[in-house]
């Protein structure tokens, strides 16, 4: 398809006369109609279309309507209908009142095209460049980052249901690819049993483990049948590879070579949760659990401008810890020409490695650092020890000196420099015991980070009142997360797969930024109008200035004698 239809250069006169008087001054659709060619133009999409071919619906029109979807939480069918029926949409799209729109499937095809060319963030990047050129976002300022959970388009499955469903998905793929092979090599009872969804809801607890073991053996048998008698096309099916991975994650061969179910505690981390959404992962934060993704949001902190704009939206699988994508987020900001001088983050993003890497990139990473995890009620954390790395000396809270410092190979543990041991002297310590410092006969061992000095300095700084006051700036991003969830339906994934949901995040951020820009421009215009009117009034009517001065003078005694009167007229 070709991009021969260009976006209109101006708003049709009939559309302008009818709609413009009806739009609110702070309407985001008014802003888009007036500035769209400065934000995103046809040239941003030209390389995604052929030079010749059937003319496609204009890409800017589709991009804007996709943006409107995330502004108003609309599905494709409703958005295609709104594009025809809504006056403010036609005004923003610069279309005639008689414009009949397009088929709703064009929106889905447009998103597929963006993903195929790796351009899912093109609209967000273009709008961010527009904001940067006009000084609304800039390099060297303050920014803050936090994360929230995204629930995937999946149903929670037990381990048994996951294996059953993966076998069913694989069997359906085999039937679709080569039905004669299925009829020849797979028993009809096996096909009949595994062609429908199954649930373990009615199984007793004692029946689940044997059923899981049997399901694993059936899955392993199916894989073996395909690999020994199936064609190369069947052996290359992604569904078969998915089944093999699920079996590897939940089962392991024993010494006799037989398949054995892994304990539940061993099935963690990067583990598939559903065969229908292979990139969604189990995640937990405190007591909250979900299957899906984690969204990392970065926005500006500009006290003078009074507006905040999102500068990055990074999506990761749910099991990824917050400190892992931080350097990638900073790299995104550098590539956009928006590296912050200070970046305020939650303590989940803080680590010695991130502190050092941020400083190397001229970014001051601001946040509290965890004191370390202690599972014992009366145990000691690392900050409780007195440590002198330069002289290789360490003293525990009980006054015992460390007896050994062992250097750690960075290839083994790249974030640990030394392992410090206190030896068997711990057995004579009053804090030796099951619920105390340690109960190991070899004594307590502590790990010293390679960035120990940086971490120690930040811990000391974080105890000051000034640092606590400064970190209040970070907490305000919770309002942005709430806005994304409540106003733009960011809590639930609209699509399946990480790239598609990254597209959702990018368009959500673009919609939020435009909405905030429209509000900021309106508020600034209101303040300017009020300031000019006030100045003109005081200059034209001197009595007004005298009245204002007398009013201030009359208020002062009231405030001094009765503080409760402050602010009353």
């Amino acid at each position: 398809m070709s991009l021969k239809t260009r976006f209109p250069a101006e708003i049709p006169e009939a559309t302008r006369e009818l709609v413009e008087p009806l739009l609110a001054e702070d309407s985001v659709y008014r802003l888009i109609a007036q500035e769209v060619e400065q934000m995103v133009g046809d040239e941003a999409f030209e390389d995604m279309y052929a030079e010749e071919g059937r003319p496609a619906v204009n890409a800017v029109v589709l991009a804007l309507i996709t943006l409107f979807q995330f502004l108003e939480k609309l599905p494709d069918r409703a958005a295609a209908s709104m594009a025809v029926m809504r006056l403010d949409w036609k005004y923003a799209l610069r279309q005639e009142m008689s414009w009949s729109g397009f088929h709703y499937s064009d929106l889905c095809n447009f998103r597929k095209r963006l993903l195929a060319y790796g351009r899912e963030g093109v609209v967000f990047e273009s709008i961010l460049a527009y904001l940067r050129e006009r000084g609304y976002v800039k390099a060297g300022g303050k920014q803050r980052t936090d994360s929230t959970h995204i629930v995937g388009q999946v149903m929670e499955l037990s381990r048994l249901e996951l294996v059953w469903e993966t076998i069913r998905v694989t069997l359906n793929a085999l039937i679709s690819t080569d039905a004669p092979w299925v009829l020849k090599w797979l028993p009809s009872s096996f096909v009949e049993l595994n062609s429908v969804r199954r649930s373990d809801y009615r199984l007793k607890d004692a029946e689940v483990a044997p059923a899981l073991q049997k399901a694993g053996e059936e899955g392993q048998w199916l894989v073996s049948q395909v690999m020994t008698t199936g064609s190369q096309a069947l052996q290359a099916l992604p569904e078969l590879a998915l089944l093999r991975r699920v079996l590897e994650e939940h089962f392991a061969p024993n010494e006799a070579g037989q398949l054995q179910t892994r304990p539940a505690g061993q099935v963690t981390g990067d583990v598939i949760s559903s065969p229908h959404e292979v990139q969604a992962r189990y995640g937990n934060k405190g007591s909250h659990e979900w299957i899906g993704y984690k969204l990392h949001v970065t926005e500006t902190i500009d006290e003078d401008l009074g507006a905040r704009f999102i500068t990055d939206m990074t999506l990761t699988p749910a099991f990824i810890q917050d400190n892992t994508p931080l350097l990638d987020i900073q790299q995104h900001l550098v590539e956009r020409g928006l590296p912050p001088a200070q970046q305020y983050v939650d303590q989940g993003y803080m680590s010695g490695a991130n502190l050092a890497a941020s400083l190397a990139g001229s970014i001051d990473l601001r946040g509290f650092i965890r004191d370390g995890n202690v599972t014992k009620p009366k145990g000691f954390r690392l900050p409780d020890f007195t440590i002198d790395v330069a002289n290789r000396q360490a003293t525990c809270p009980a006054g015992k000196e460390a007896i050994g410092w062992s250097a750690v190979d960075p290839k083994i543990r790249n974030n640990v420099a030394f392992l410090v041991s206190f030896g068997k002297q711990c057995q004579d310590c009053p804090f030796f015991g099951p619920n105390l410092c340690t109960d190991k006969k070899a004594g307590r061992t502590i790990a010293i980070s390679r960035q120990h000095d940086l971490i120690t300095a930040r811990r000391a700084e974080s105890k000051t009142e000034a640092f606590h006051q400064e970190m209040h700036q970070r907490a305000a991003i919770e309002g942005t997360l709430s806005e994304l969830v409540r106003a733009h339906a960011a809590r639930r994934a609209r699509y399946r797969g990480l790239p598609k949901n990254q597209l959702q995040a990018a368009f959500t951020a673009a919609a939020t930024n435009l909405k905030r820009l429209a509000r900021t421009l309106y508020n600034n215009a209101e303040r300017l109008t009020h300031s000019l009117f006030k100045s003109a009034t005081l200059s034209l009517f001197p009595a007004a200035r005298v009245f204002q001065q007398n009013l201030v003078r009359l208020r002062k005694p009231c405030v001094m004698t009765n503080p409760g009167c402050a602010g009353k007229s």
Side-chain angles (χ1 to χ4, degrees):
M1 301 185 73
S2 62
L3 195 61
K4 294 183 177 180
T5 306
R6 313 302 291 182
F7 189 76
E10 57 184 18
I11 306 170
E13 190 62 29
T15 305
R16 180 191 297 274
E17 290 179 358
L18 177 62
V19 181
E20 199 165 276
L22 305 176
L23 284 177
E25 291 296 327
D26 61 347
S27 170
V28 67
Y29 299 108
R30 178 189 291 273
L31 170 65
I32 292 172
Q34 296 171 353
E35 297 288 318
V36 60
E37 63 274 319
Q38 306 298 326
M39 296 178 183
V40 57
D42 292 313
E43 63 279 358
F45 306 97
E46 286 178 345
D47 60 337
M48 296 165 48
Y49 293 84
E51 294 183 3
E52 300 295 334
R54 181 166 64 89
V57 179
N58 181 261
V60 176
V61 170
L62 294 175
L64 291 178
I65 292 178
T66 303
L67 198 64
F68 300 165
Q69 287 184 260
F70 290 93
L71 271 170
E72 303 193 19
K73 302 185 288 187
L74 295 174
D76 290 351
R77 290 174 185 262
S81 176
M82 292 290 186
V84 178
M85 304 302 297
R86 286 272 295 268
L87 296 179
D88 51 354
W89 281 34
K90 284 192 172 181
Y91 179 82
L93 297 171
R94 297 182 174 179
Q95 299 296 328
E96 298 284 353
M97 298 303 298
S98 58
W99 183 58
S100 58
F102 52 87
H103 194 266
Y104 67 86
S105 63
D106 287 326
L107 290 170
C108 178
N109 293 331
F110 176 68
R111 293 194 300 269
K112 290 180 179 179
R113 191 178 293 271
L114 289 177
L115 291 168
Y117 284 85
R119 306 287 294 279
E120 56 268 18
V122 62
V123 175
F124 172 66
E125 300 287 352
S126 299
I127 292 174
L128 204 57
Y130 171 87
L131 294 172
R132 185 179 63 247
E133 291 170 0
R134 284 153 182 78
Y136 290 104
V137 295
K138 56 187 178 182
K142 296 179 181 180
Q143 298 187 36
R144 54 192 170 212
T145 302
D146 204 354
S147 66
T148 188
H149 65 281
I150 306 296
V151 180
Q153 290 279 3
V154 293
M155 182 175 70
E156 185 177 355
L157 301 174
S158 68
R159 296 178 65 187
L160 176 56
E161 290 171 335
L162 172 63
V163 177
W164 276 344
E165 185 65 10
T166 308
I167 292 175
R168 189 185 73 85
V169 169
T170 304
L171 180 59
N172 287 342
L174 293 172
I175 294 173
S176 299
T177 306
D178 193 348
W181 179 90
V182 173
L183 292 174
K184 180 178 180 180
W185 293 102
L186 301 184
S188 58
S189 58
F190 178 87
V191 175
E192 182 179 356
L193 179 64
N194 291 284
S195 294
V196 296
R197 285 192 175 96
R198 290 191 280 174
S199 172
D200 62 2
Y201 177 74
R202 296 185 180 277
L203 293 181
K204 298 178 181 179
D205 293 342
E207 297 173 336
V208 172
L212 179 58
Q213 178 68 28
K214 182 179 179 181
E217 293 171 354
E218 291 178 346
Q220 188 64 38
W221 176 84
L222 178 59
V223 171
S224 177
Q225 283 290 94
V226 176
M227 299 307 294
T228 54
T229 63
S231 63
Q232 291 185 352
L234 292 181
Q235 295 176 9
L237 285 174
E239 290 83 0
L240 185 67
L242 174 64
L243 175 59
R244 297 178 70 173
R245 176 171 175 177
V246 169
L247 294 176
E248 290 174 359
E249 291 173 348
H250 293 269
F251 304 91
N254 57 19
E255 296 179 355
Q258 297 176 340
L259 207 64
Q260 187 174 2
T261 304
R262 294 181 187 270
Q266 295 181 7
V267 186
T268 58
D270 189 11
V271 176
I272 291 175
S273 299
S274 170
H276 302 289
E277 224 305 25
V278 297
Q279 292 180 312
R281 294 291 183 268
Y282 167 83
N284 68 304
K285 199 169 187 179
S287 60
H288 185 72
E289 300 176 341
W290 76 99
I291 295 175
Y293 304 92
K294 191 180 289 185
L295 179 63
H296 302 266
V297 182
T298 304
E299 69 173 1
T300 59
I301 307 173
D302 196 326
E303 299 172 354
D304 297 330
L305 183 62
R308 312 180 310 276
F309 295 99
I310 295 173
T311 55
D312 187 74
M313 294 272 268
T314 296
L315 197 70
T316 65
F319 77 98
I320 299 293
Q321 297 298 316
D322 286 350
N323 60 5
T324 303
L326 178 70
L327 299 184
D328 291 335
I329 293 171
Q330 293 180 351
Q331 183 61 33
H332 297 164
L333 297 175
V334 170
E335 292 171 355
R336 295 177 182 128
L338 298 172
Q342 294 91 30
Q343 185 178 13
Y344 294 86
V345 297
D346 184 82
Q347 65 177 358
Y349 292 89
M350 297 295 294
S351 68
N354 284 349
L355 268 175
S358 298
L359 287 176
S362 301
I363 297 175
D364 184 9
L365 190 63
R366 311 292 288 170
F368 295 97
I369 292 185
R370 290 192 176 101
D371 289 337
N373 296 324
V374 175
T375 58
K376 299 183 178 181
K378 297 182 180 179
F380 295 119
R381 292 178 171 86
L382 186 65
D384 298 326
F385 292 76
T386 303
I387 300 171
D388 184 355
V389 177
N391 296 315
R392 303 292 191 271
Q393 294 178 349
T395 306
C396 76
K400 303 289 186 180
E401 295 290 336
I403 63 172
W405 285 65
S406 302
V408 179
D409 188 345
K411 295 180 181 178
I412 299 176
R413 296 180 67 179
N414 60 359
N415 61 335
V416 176
F418 300 98
L419 291 177
V420 180
S421 60
F422 287 83
K424 294 183 179 180
Q425 62 178 330
C426 292
Q427 297 181 21
D428 301 327
C429 179
F431 298 105
F432 182 82
N435 295 321
L436 302 175
C437 179
T438 184
D439 58 354
K440 296 180 180 180
K441 294 182 179 180
R444 178 71 182 267
T445 300
I446 58 175
I448 307 299
S449 171
R450 298 185 185 278
Q451 296 82 27
H452 177 74
D453 293 340
L454 278 176
I455 294 173
T456 303
R458 175 51 54 84
R459 283 199 179 109
E461 182 184 12
S462 65
K463 294 179 181 179
T464 63
E465 180 62 26
F467 189 84
H468 279 258
Q469 292 296 325
E470 181 185 358
M471 286 303 298
H472 288 170
Q473 299 175 89
R474 188 217 66 83
I477 198 173
E478 301 292 346
T480 297
L481 298 180
S482 177
E483 177 185 1
L484 294 173
V485 170
R486 298 174 185 276
H488 302 287
R491 176 66 72 220
R492 299 196 67 87
R494 290 174 64 114
Y495 317 110
R496 285 178 173 172
L498 191 64
K500 292 182 180 180
N501 286 305
Q502 182 64 56
L503 179 145
Q504 173 185 347
F507 272 97
T508 301
T512 304
N513 281 345
L514 283 180
K515 186 174 64 175
R516 291 179 173 185
L517 177 60
R519 189 185 308 124
T520 299
L521 292 174
Y522 174 74
N523 291 338
N524 289 346
E526 284 286 295
R527 283 194 291 268
L528 179 61
T529 302
H530 177 74
S531 177
L532 292 175
F533 177 79
K534 181 178 179 180
S535 300
T537 301
L538 295 179
S539 60
L540 292 175
F541 303 100
R545 183 182 299 275
V546 174
F547 174 77
Q548 184 186 47
Q549 293 173 348
N550 289 335
L551 183 61
V552 173
R553 191 180 301 113
L554 287 171
R555 282 179 175 174
K556 284 183 178 179
C558 178
V559 173
M560 294 175 63
T561 57
N562 184 6
C565 293
K568 296 182 179 180
S569 57

